[in-house]
Amino acid sequence: MAPEELVARALKARANAYVPYSKFPVGAALLTADGEVFTGCNVENASYGLTVCAERVAVFSAIARGQRLFKALAVAADTEDYISPCGACRQVLAEFGGDMKVYLADRHGDFRETTVAEMLPAAFSL
Protein backbone atom coordinates (compact mmCIF):
# COMPACT_ATOMS: atom_id res chain seq x y z
CA MET A 1 0.00 0.00 0.00
CA ALA A 2 1.28 3.44 -0.90
CA PRO A 3 2.03 5.80 1.99
CA GLU A 4 -0.48 8.29 0.58
CA GLU A 5 -3.31 5.74 0.93
CA LEU A 6 -2.35 4.94 4.51
CA VAL A 7 -2.25 8.67 5.32
CA ALA A 8 -5.69 9.10 3.70
CA ARG A 9 -7.07 6.38 5.96
CA ALA A 10 -5.57 8.08 9.03
CA LEU A 11 -7.18 11.36 8.00
CA LYS A 12 -10.52 9.60 7.60
CA ALA A 13 -10.19 7.90 11.01
CA ARG A 14 -9.50 11.30 12.58
CA ALA A 15 -13.12 12.25 11.88
CA ASN A 16 -14.26 9.69 14.47
CA ALA A 17 -12.17 11.10 17.31
CA TYR A 18 -13.95 11.82 20.60
CA VAL A 19 -12.19 14.97 21.80
CA PRO A 20 -14.61 17.17 23.79
CA TYR A 21 -11.82 18.46 26.06
CA SER A 22 -8.75 19.06 23.90
CA LYS A 23 -10.52 19.61 20.57
CA PHE A 24 -7.44 17.89 19.05
CA PRO A 25 -8.61 15.03 16.81
CA VAL A 26 -6.00 12.49 15.74
CA GLY A 27 -6.35 9.53 13.40
CA ALA A 28 -4.06 6.58 12.80
CA ALA A 29 -3.89 3.79 10.25
CA LEU A 30 -1.76 0.70 10.86
CA LEU A 31 -0.70 -1.58 8.00
CA THR A 32 -0.08 -5.22 8.86
CA ALA A 33 2.43 -7.47 7.13
CA ASP A 34 -0.40 -9.23 5.27
CA GLY A 35 -1.91 -5.96 3.98
CA GLU A 36 -4.77 -5.45 6.43
CA VAL A 37 -5.33 -1.93 7.77
CA PHE A 38 -6.53 -1.12 11.27
CA THR A 39 -7.55 2.44 12.08
CA GLY A 40 -7.85 4.28 15.34
CA CYS A 41 -8.75 7.68 16.70
CA ASN A 42 -8.10 9.31 20.03
CA VAL A 43 -10.78 8.87 22.67
CA GLU A 44 -10.80 11.28 25.60
CA ASN A 45 -12.33 10.94 29.04
CA ALA A 46 -13.18 13.46 31.75
CA SER A 47 -10.60 11.61 33.85
CA TYR A 48 -7.89 12.68 31.41
CA GLY A 49 -5.46 9.90 32.32
CA LEU A 50 -7.93 7.42 30.83
CA THR A 51 -7.64 9.02 27.40
CA VAL A 52 -6.28 6.69 24.69
CA CYS A 53 -4.29 7.90 21.69
CA ALA A 54 -5.20 7.03 18.10
CA GLU A 55 -2.00 5.06 17.58
CA ARG A 56 -2.65 2.73 20.51
CA VAL A 57 -6.29 2.25 19.50
CA ALA A 58 -5.10 1.06 16.07
CA VAL A 59 -2.40 -1.23 17.52
CA PHE A 60 -4.68 -2.71 20.19
CA SER A 61 -7.42 -3.33 17.63
CA ALA A 62 -4.95 -5.22 15.46
CA ILE A 63 -3.66 -7.24 18.42
CA ALA A 64 -7.22 -8.12 19.40
CA ARG A 65 -7.70 -9.54 15.89
CA GLY A 66 -4.57 -11.69 16.14
CA GLN A 67 -2.16 -9.47 14.20
CA ARG A 68 1.43 -9.10 15.44
CA LEU A 69 3.49 -8.08 12.40
CA PHE A 70 3.24 -4.46 11.30
CA LYS A 71 4.78 -2.69 8.31
CA ALA A 72 3.74 0.93 8.66
CA LEU A 73 1.70 3.44 10.62
CA ALA A 74 0.29 6.79 9.51
CA VAL A 75 -0.70 9.43 12.07
CA ALA A 76 -2.65 12.57 11.15
CA ALA A 77 -4.06 15.49 13.08
CA ASP A 78 -5.89 18.67 12.21
CA THR A 79 -2.66 20.69 12.19
CA GLU A 80 -0.60 22.68 9.72
CA ASP A 81 2.53 20.79 10.70
CA TYR A 82 3.29 17.10 11.14
CA ILE A 83 2.48 15.51 14.47
CA SER A 84 4.41 12.80 16.22
CA PRO A 85 3.28 10.00 18.57
CA CYS A 86 3.62 10.56 22.30
CA GLY A 87 6.19 8.64 24.32
CA ALA A 88 3.71 5.98 25.44
CA CYS A 89 2.68 5.31 21.85
CA ARG A 90 6.31 5.18 20.74
CA GLN A 91 7.02 2.53 23.37
CA VAL A 92 3.99 0.47 22.31
CA LEU A 93 5.11 0.70 18.67
CA ALA A 94 8.65 -0.31 19.64
CA GLU A 95 7.26 -3.54 21.07
CA PHE A 96 6.40 -4.58 17.52
CA GLY A 97 9.50 -3.47 15.63
CA GLY A 98 11.79 -0.50 15.45
CA ASP A 99 12.08 -0.74 11.67
CA MET A 100 8.35 -0.06 11.21
CA LYS A 101 7.83 2.92 8.91
CA VAL A 102 5.86 5.83 10.37
CA TYR A 103 4.27 8.55 8.27
CA LEU A 104 3.65 11.78 10.19
CA ALA A 105 0.95 13.80 8.44
CA ASP A 106 -0.66 17.22 8.61
CA ARG A 107 -4.30 18.11 7.91
CA HIS A 108 -3.63 18.31 4.17
CA GLY A 109 -2.18 14.83 3.86
CA ASP A 110 1.38 16.05 3.43
CA PHE A 111 3.71 13.79 5.40
CA ARG A 112 7.26 12.90 6.26
CA GLU A 113 8.59 9.40 6.79
CA THR A 114 10.48 8.15 9.82
CA THR A 115 10.78 4.89 11.75
CA VAL A 116 9.93 3.85 15.27
CA ALA A 117 13.65 3.42 16.03
CA GLU A 118 14.36 6.98 14.91
CA MET A 119 11.57 8.31 17.15
CA LEU A 120 12.58 6.19 20.16
CA PRO A 121 16.23 5.14 19.83
CA ALA A 122 16.56 3.85 23.40
CA ALA A 123 13.28 1.93 23.69
CA PHE A 124 12.71 -0.11 26.82
CA SER A 125 12.84 -3.87 26.30
CA LEU A 126 13.25 -7.02 28.35
Side-chain angles (χ1 to χ4, degrees):
M1 172 177 290
E4 294 80 8
E5 175 62 23
L6 201 60
V7 167
R9 291 194 187 194
L11 287 165
K12 185 175 179 184
R14 184 187 71 192
N16 293 325
Y18 177 74
V19 291
Y21 308 104
S22 73
K23 311 284 193 249
F24 190 77
V26 178
L30 179 68
L31 177 64
T32 67
D34 64 3
E36 194 169 357
V37 175
F38 290 85
T39 59
C41 61
N42 52 329
V43 180
E44 295 180 348
N45 188 278
S47 178
Y48 216 66
L50 299 178
T51 295
V52 181
C53 299
E55 300 92 314
R56 283 181 280 153
V57 170
V59 170
F60 297 161
S61 294
I63 296 297
R65 294 275 306 277
Q67 296 286 347
R68 299 287 187 278
L69 301 174
F70 308 124
K71 291 179 67 174
L73 173 78
V75 183
D78 191 23
T79 56
E80 288 297 324
D81 201 358
Y82 312 117
I83 63 157
S84 185
C86 73
C89 288
R90 292 175 190 209
Q91 181 61 48
V92 167
L93 294 168
E95 183 79 13
F96 299 98
D99 60 342
M100 184 189 322
K101 292 186 186 308
V102 181
Y103 306 109
L104 309 174
D106 64 18
R107 70 167 44 115
H108 308 290
D110 295 324
F111 65 92
R112 73 174 186 87
E113 181 180 321
T114 187
T115 66
V116 173
E118 289 170 346
M119 292 188 306
L120 188 65
F124 175 81
S125 65
L126 293 178

